[in-house]
Amino acid sequence: MRNAAFLAIGVVLILVQANLYRVLGWMHFNGATPSLLLPLVIFLGVHEHSMARGALLAFALGYFLDLVASAPMWLFTFITVANWWLSRVAGVRLTAQTFITRMSLGFVFALIESAMVLILLAVFGSDTRRPLEIGNIVLPRAIATALFAPLVFRIAQRIH
């Protein structure tokens, strides 16, 4: 039941993120769209005890993000599982209990996620200009993700 709740919240967060992109673009804040799914994946990496369950949830959420996003297929699936694994490794040493640590985790992992996207698009992408264009929105996106991270962590904590 809890797994279905995490999947449902993840789908809702992805849909909100997609519509938030349109609202922020209309308000001329292009590139400041937060990754609302990333704090949920970090939460799963830090708090989920079962590695199989956490990896499968991260895979399913990343796959749905691939279906919704206009990126190459399997890009966000790979990045979501990689971020889950990195947060799992860092979760031994970090605790996401306070407001500041949640924001800093969101910021750092948003930078890591953006770096992975840029590297994978540069290596495997057909458009050589796309990583340069995306590179301009890394910092605003990381800041916006950090601002929304405590809210997503609070929602995930209630489900957990």
Side-chain angles (χ1 to χ4, degrees), residues 93-156:
R93 296 184 184 105
L94 298 173
T95 57
Q97 301 296 327
T98 65
F99 187 78
I100 298 299
T101 56
R102 291 176 181 178
M103 287 183 72
S104 62
L105 280 174
F107 182 77
V108 169
F109 275 94
L111 290 177
I112 292 170
E113 180 183 49
S114 297
M116 283 193 274
V117 168
L118 290 174
I119 291 169
L120 289 173
L121 285 177
V123 171
F124 298 111
S126 60
D127 186 9
T128 58
R129 298 287 302 162
R130 181 168 290 182
L132 295 174
E133 294 169 357
I134 295 174
N136 294 332
I137 64 170
V138 169
L139 196 57
R141 184 174 182 271
I143 292 170
T145 301
L147 292 175
F148 280 92
L151 175 67
V152 176
F153 268 91
R154 183 175 293 140
I155 291 169

Side-chain angles (χ1 to χ4, degrees), residues 35-118:
S35 174
L36 298 178
L37 184 63
L38 184 61
L40 183 64
V41 171
I42 295 169
F43 180 87
L44 288 172
V46 172
H47 293 290
E48 185 61 46
H49 297 294
S50 171
M51 287 192 68
R53 184 181 319 143
L56 284 173
L57 284 170
F59 179 85
L61 292 170
Y63 184 73
F64 185 74
L65 185 58
D66 272 334
L67 293 177
V68 173
S70 61
M73 197 61 188
W74 302 105
L75 176 70
F76 286 114
T77 305
F78 173 76
I79 289 174
T80 304
V81 173
N83 276 328
W84 171 82
W85 183 78
L86 285 173
S87 65
R88 179 90 177 168
V89 169
V92 175
R93 296 184 184 105
L94 298 173
T95 57
Q97 301 296 327
T98 65
F99 187 78
I100 298 299
T101 56
R102 291 176 181 178
M103 287 183 72
S104 62
L105 280 174
F107 182 77
V108 169
F109 275 94
L111 290 177
I112 292 170
E113 180 183 49
S114 297
M116 283 193 274
V117 168
L118 290 174

Side-chain angles (χ1 to χ4, degrees), residues 3-38:
N3 298 337
F6 275 124
L7 284 175
I9 289 299
V11 168
V12 168
L13 289 174
I14 291 170
L15 294 176
V16 168
Q17 176 181 334
N19 289 316
L20 198 58
Y21 172 77
R22 294 178 185 190
V23 170
L24 291 174
W26 178 71
M27 295 171 53
H28 304 293
F29 289 120
N30 294 334
T33 305
S35 174
L36 298 178
L37 184 63
L38 184 61

